[in-house]
Amino acid sequence: MNLIYKIAIDEAHCVSNWGHDFRECYLKLSLIRDLFPNINILALTATATIPVKSDMIQLLALKNPKVYMESF
């Protein structure tokens, strides 16, 4: 029985912004998909630009993500 139903990654823009420079472990978050292939992943950020959003989807290995964007 799988006790994990969803994984949330807060400040997910850090995967793109800083993963390449000084936080290489951020780039390994895609391993979550390998370990839990059927678990929903929720990636949250308030500051992602369109290029960063695309980078997050790729680096986190998100499958057909639903993207919600709002503004103040």
Side-chain angles (χ1 to χ4, degrees):
M1 182 167 99
N2 196 350
L3 297 178
I4 298 175
Y5 299 100
K6 185 176 289 184
I7 294 173
I9 301 170
D10 195 17
E11 302 296 341
H13 63 276
C14 295
V15 171
S16 176
N17 291 351
W18 298 312
H20 305 288
D21 296 331
F22 69 93
R23 293 273 197 247
E24 291 182 23
C25 60
Y26 287 175
L27 298 177
K28 295 180 183 177
L29 285 172
S30 64
L31 294 174
I32 292 171
R33 177 60 61 213
D34 296 334
L35 295 170
F36 305 101
N38 298 314
I39 297 296
N40 290 323
I41 296 175
L42 177 65
L44 302 167
T45 181
T47 60
T49 61
I50 291 174
V52 169
K53 179 185 72 171
S54 297
D55 206 20
M56 287 168 37
I57 291 168
Q58 178 186 2
L59 292 170
L60 294 174
L62 301 179
K63 300 181 202 174
N64 301 315
K66 294 178 183 174
V67 179
Y68 301 95
M69 295 176 64
E70 292 293 330
S71 180
F72 286 106

